[in-house]
Amino acid sequence: MGVGSGVAPQEGSLQDAVGVVGLTDEELVSRSMGGDPESFNQLIKRWEKPIYALAYRTIGREDDARDVVQETFLRAFRGLSGFKGQAKFSSWLYRITLNLCRDWMRRQRRAPVVVTPDGVDLVELAGESEEVETADAAVERKDLSRAIARAMTALPEEQRAAIVLKEYHGLTFQEIADLLGCPLSTVKTRLYQGLTVLRKELERGGIHPGTRMI
C-alpha cells in the first residue's frame, strides 16, 4: 500500500532493519520518538494489514480503506509524542482508524458496506454450527454470510463497532472498552444487543439461526 513512503524515509542499512524486527511495539515507538525512521517503518509493516482490514470491514470500500490506512499512520507518526503507553500501541492505532472511518462515513453520508471477514465462522456468529459440512451446507453457509453482511448494515455504529472488534478482530471485552473509552458493561451490552438485532434481521429474511449466543 505504500504507506511507509509517506511517513518515514527509507534510510538506514539492512542491519538496522533486521535489528528492529524483534522489538516490541513500545520499544519501536520509543526509538521512533528518538529519531529512528526504521523503527516506525517496522511498525507500519507490523500493523498495516490489520489496520487495512479494520478500515475495509468498517467502510467496505477498498480505495477509501487504503486512504484511511495512509492517514492513520500519518497521524500516528505526527502524534507519537501523545502516545503515553497507557494502552497498547495497537489499540491506539485502532482508535485512530475508527475515528477516521467515522469521519469518512459522516462526511460522505454513506452507510458502511459490511464485508465478510476472513477466518471468521459466520454461522457460529449467527448462533448455529455444524460439525460436518456437506456441499449443501457449504452453499447455505455462503448464503448466511451474505445475509449477515446485509444485516450488519442495520446496526447502529456503536453496536457494529463492537461486533467488528470482538468477532472479526478477536479483541477482548476489556480491550474494546479501553479502545472505545467506555465501561466494560457497555461493550458487552452493545455486542449482545447487536447480535440480537442481527438475529432478528436474519429471521426477517427467512433465516432462523440457533439460540446460542457468543
Side-chain angles (χ1 to χ4, degrees):
M1 280 178 235
V3 177
S5 60
V7 178
Q10 296 288 343
E11 298 177 358
S13 63
L14 178 60
Q15 182 178 359
D16 294 331
V18 172
V20 301
V21 171
L23 298 179
T24 66
D25 289 345
E26 289 69 26
E27 289 171 334
L28 291 172
V29 168
S30 179
R31 291 179 57 149
S32 298
M33 293 173 64
D36 177 23
E38 186 54 44
S39 291
F40 196 79
N41 286 335
Q42 180 61 33
L43 287 169
I44 292 173
K45 293 175 185 176
R46 187 173 294 179
W47 290 104
E48 185 176 34
K49 288 183 178 179
I51 292 302
Y52 173 76
L54 177 60
Y56 182 44
R57 290 165 183 168
T58 301
I59 61 180
R61 294 172 173 85
E62 292 184 7
D63 290 342
D64 294 308
R66 292 191 183 97
D67 289 343
V68 167
V69 174
Q70 293 274 356
E71 185 63 24
T72 294
F73 284 108
L74 282 170
R75 290 196 181 187
F77 183 69
R78 293 166 180 164
L80 276 180
S81 60
F83 177 68
K84 305 302 182 182
Q86 296 174 339
K88 293 194 299 185
F89 179 74
S90 58
S91 296
W92 188 59
L93 282 181
Y94 274 30
R95 184 178 296 111
I96 294 173
T97 305
L98 287 174
N99 287 337
L100 287 171
C101 288
R102 292 190 187 106
D103 290 345
W104 181 91
M105 286 186 285
R106 289 164 183 164
R107 185 171 60 250
Q108 298 295 326
R109 296 183 179 178
R110 295 181 182 178
V113 178
V114 180
V115 295
T116 302
D118 298 329
V120 173
D121 190 341
L122 291 177
V123 171
E124 189 173 4
L125 173 62
E128 180 180 41
S129 62
E130 299 179 11
E131 293 188 4
V132 179
E133 185 173 65
T134 63
D136 289 341
V139 172
E140 292 177 2
R141 181 185 290 270
K142 289 183 179 179
D143 290 342
L144 180 56
S145 296
R146 296 190 191 98
I148 290 175
R150 289 193 299 270
M152 284 282 283
T153 63
L155 297 178
E157 180 181 312
E158 295 82 4
Q159 294 175 7
R160 186 170 58 248
I163 291 178
V164 167
L165 292 171
K166 181 70 170 66
E167 304 302 336
Y168 295 6
H169 287 263
L171 272 65
T172 66
F173 285 119
Q174 188 60 60
E175 287 173 334
I176 297 172
D178 294 340
L179 175 61
L180 300 179
C182 61
L184 186 65
S185 59
T186 299
V187 173
K188 292 181 179 180
T189 298
R190 289 177 181 176
L191 179 69
Y192 294 137
Q193 287 180 342
L195 291 175
T196 299
V197 172
L198 277 182
R199 288 188 177 181
K200 290 181 179 178
E201 289 295 321
L202 290 172
E203 289 170 356
R204 189 174 291 117
I207 299 173
H208 300 280
T211 59
R212 183 177 64 79
M213 294 295 290
I214 292 176

